[in-house]
Amino acid sequence: MAPPRTLYMLRTLTVLLLLSVDAMLMPAFAVQDDFYQTSCPDAESVIANTVNAEIDKNFKIAAGLIRMAFHDCFVEGCDGSVLLEGEDTERTAEINLTLLGFEAIDAAETAVEAVCPGVVSCADIIAYAARDSTVKLNGTGWVVQGGRKDGNVSSAAAAQNDLPLPTFDASQLIDAFAQRNLSTQQMVVLSGAHTVGVGHCNKFVERLYNFSPTNDTDPTLNATLANQLKLECPSLTFNETIEIFMETITPGQFDSNYYVDLTRQNGLFTSDQTLFEDSRTQQLVESLISEQLFDSEFGEAMRALGTVGVKTEGQVRTICSQVNA
Ligand code: HEM
Ligand SMILES: *[C@@H]1O[C@H](CO)[C@@H](O)[C@H](O)[C@H]1NC(C)=O
Ligand SMILES: *[C@@H]1O[C@H](CO)[C@@H](O)[C@H](O)[C@H]1NC(C)=O
Ligand SMILES: *[C@@H]1O[C@H](CO)[C@@H](O)[C@H](O)[C@H]1NC(C)=O
Ligand SMILES: *[C@@H]1O[C@H](CO)[C@@H](O)[C@H](O)[C@H]1NC(C)=O
Ligand SMILES: *[C@@H]1O[C@H](CO)[C@@H](O)[C@H](O)[C@H]1NC(C)=O
Ligand SMILES: *[C@@H]1O[C@H](CO)[C@@H](O)[C@H](O)[C@H]1NC(C)=O
Ligand SMILES: CC(=O)N[C@H]1CO[C@H](CO)[C@@H](O)[C@@H]1O
């Protein structure tokens, strides 16, 4: 039997080891404000200028870049894996087929590599670009944390399994976000990103035809909107390139009108309208009609989204679509 003193020392050592391992894994240490202040002081402005120029070339990518941050963080954590090219990567997943904005990330990466080679991760560029796009759409910005490392694993199957579907109900959405330590409130706030951008017929057509044995059309879908959507998506087969604004009051503006739409049963997807139909989230929807509340909550929720599964070890890729050699 070891003498008590040795045991005590061993225990102390173990506690110290555990503490230091804990400290490395603490999520709060993984990302921080002004991360590139000394290592690359111009990073944020170079990225913002590039993203703005790219949006001026193609307005649609502004919404695409906001969505990209969501997809990146929900699959494998915020690690830039959504950008990796190759067979069976997240980019090739069916659910991801309509992601936009890859060219803007590439342009920002090239621009930032020119001023600080090998310093700024692709995962961080996605996070900054989502904020810059929100501002470009007349939304309110937020301070973006930096320090994410890039991962080198990307899987189409993971994207397919990990991203919530537009057919999800409130319970499924609450679960999907809770699995990433995001609250019900943060889920409702982040869904407000659907104030900009478009969806395609295949994502909501099940609401228009043969909805249930008794109702041809989803009864929670505004009848006027249902009739319009039936013209644009005339049957269960449809033109796949047709784009439908998700929010129709001010579709190009990043504002709180998404929530106004929901109170009028004008949510495009089941996953949108359910937020107003479900008693757990209805009052949140009503309160977020306040522009001021939505603006401040959205930035906070994006900061929380930006901490999901952050990797503190890994690469800083020099080409965002490929792992470093
Ligand atoms: C709550 C669960 C969510 C579901 C089920 C969902 C689903 C979808 C679907 C199906 C589309 C349309 C894709 C297409 O037809 O091309 C879409 C678009 C979009 N989503 Fe989400 N989404 C969710 C949450 C989010 C979050 C958290 C964000 C960002 C913070 C976001 C941002 C966007 C944007 C900006 C678009 C428009 C993209 C474009 O116009 O290119 N979504 N989403
Ligand atoms: C943002 O607001 C300005 C001034 O009100 C307006 O000219 C511009 O069109 C708006 N941008 C978008 C994307 O709606
Ligand atoms: C979970 O979220 C809470 C509240 O946002 C935060 O304080 C906590 O650090 C998060 N935990 C992890 C493991 O990310
Ligand atoms: C059909 O829709 C009506 C409202 O339009 C609703 O009262 C009824 O419950 C719906 N039936 C089913 C089976 O969902
Ligand atoms: C599908 O819609 C696009 C516009 O969104 C149009 O240019 C194209 O001609 C349509 N294709 C068919 C087969 O109708
Ligand atoms: C349907 O949408 C229109 C246009 O936004 C709105 O005026 C009407 O009140 C909505 N109907 C319901 C039942 O919410
Ligand atoms: C992926 O990244 C890890 C950690 O940085 C590294 O050990 C591994 O060799 C990388 N794998 C490939 C295929 O690059
Ligand atoms: C397989 C496939 O079509 N992937 C696409 C994912 O989205 C980007 C951006 O639209 C396309 O460039 C990819 O080809």
Side-chain angles (χ1 to χ4, degrees):
M1 208 179 89
R5 196 180 147 77
T6 317
L7 259 185
Y8 174 74
M9 280 169 60
L10 270 177
R11 236 177 48 210
T12 312
L13 193 64
T14 312
V15 166
L16 281 175
L17 279 174
L18 284 176
L19 275 179
S20 54
V21 169
D22 264 354
M24 285 192 312
L25 296 176
M26 282 273 287
F29 291 176
V31 286
Q32 47 188 262
D33 297 349
D34 299 321
F35 185 77
Y36 294 108
Q37 197 168 37
T38 51
S39 61
C40 187
D42 292 334
E44 288 201 40
S45 61
V46 166
I47 293 167
N49 290 340
T50 311
V51 167
N52 280 329
E54 291 291 318
I55 295 173
D56 285 337
K57 279 195 248 169
N58 178 5
F59 185 72
K60 288 182 189 179
I61 66 172
L65 288 168
I66 299 168
R67 185 177 178 216
M68 190 183 287
F70 169 54
H71 281 214
D72 188 35
C73 293
F74 254 59
V75 187
E76 316 270 2
C78 315
D79 69 346
S81 55
V82 69
L83 303 170
L84 288 171
E85 279 177 346
E87 275 179 43
D88 289 328
T89 57
E90 289 165 40
R91 276 175 88 151
T92 67
E94 196 276 334
I95 199 164
N96 203 37
L97 285 179
T98 55
L99 262 191
L100 299 176
F102 291 102
E103 66 277 24
I105 300 290
D106 288 346
E109 166 71 359
T110 304
V112 88
E113 279 294 305
V115 290
C116 315
V119 174
V120 182
S121 70
C122 298
D124 283 348
I125 293 176
I126 293 176
Y128 292 122
R131 186 266 317 271
D132 299 338
S133 299
T134 303
V135 172
K136 183 80 172 166
L137 295 171
N138 285 342
T140 301
W142 59 93
V143 178
V144 176
Q145 298 173 305
R148 300 166 191 82
K149 287 291 199 290
D150 295 324
N152 52 15
V153 176
S154 183
S155 139
Q160 210 65 44
N161 293 331
D162 293 354
L163 286 164
L165 298 175
T167 50
F168 273 15
D169 64 19
S171 296
Q172 291 169 305
L173 293 171
I174 290 169
D175 282 356
F177 280 70
Q179 280 171 30
R180 288 151 182 92
N181 193 35
L182 295 168
S183 68
T184 298
Q185 168 151 351
Q186 286 168 329
M187 181 272 289
V188 176
V189 168
L190 289 169
S191 295
H194 288 181
T195 179
V196 292
V198 297
H200 296 80
C201 299
N202 62 330
K203 303 299 195 303
F204 56 80
V205 73
E206 85 288 349
R207 303 183 72 195
L208 304 180
Y209 308 105
N210 303 327
F211 179 74
S212 74
T214 45
N215 291 56
D216 188 43
T217 307
D218 183 344
T220 69
L221 177 60
N222 186 306
T224 309
L225 178 60
N227 289 333
Q228 277 169 24
L229 294 177
K230 283 176 181 177
L231 292 176
E232 309 205 67
C233 317
S235 69
L236 285 170
T237 56
F238 40 77
N239 181 339
E240 287 176 12
T241 63
I242 300 255
E243 295 171 338
I244 314 280
F245 285 125
M246 292 189 289
E247 184 256 80
T248 50
I249 305 169
T250 48
Q253 296 265 5
F254 201 96
D255 57 21
S256 64
N257 277 335
Y258 168 80
Y259 301 101
V260 177
D261 258 356
L262 297 188
T263 63
R264 297 176 182 164
Q265 298 196 311
N266 281 329
L268 186 59
F269 306 132
T270 299
S271 59
D272 296 315
Q273 195 56 47
T274 189
L275 302 177
F276 183 68
E277 305 305 322
D278 193 282
S279 61
R280 287 167 291 181
T281 47
Q282 186 174 69
Q283 279 164 2
L284 284 169
V285 167
E286 282 165 347
S287 66
L288 287 164
I289 289 172
S290 156
E291 188 69 56
Q292 231 183 346
L293 181 66
F294 174 61
D295 285 350
S296 62
E297 293 282 321
F298 187 74
E300 277 306 308
M302 285 299 282
R303 283 168 63 86
L305 176 66
T307 68
V308 172
V310 164
K311 297 177 173 60
T312 49
E313 288 184 43
Q315 305 183 326
V316 168
R317 295 203 294 264
T318 51
I319 300 174
C320 287
S321 55
Q322 299 166 20
V323 300
N324 295 342

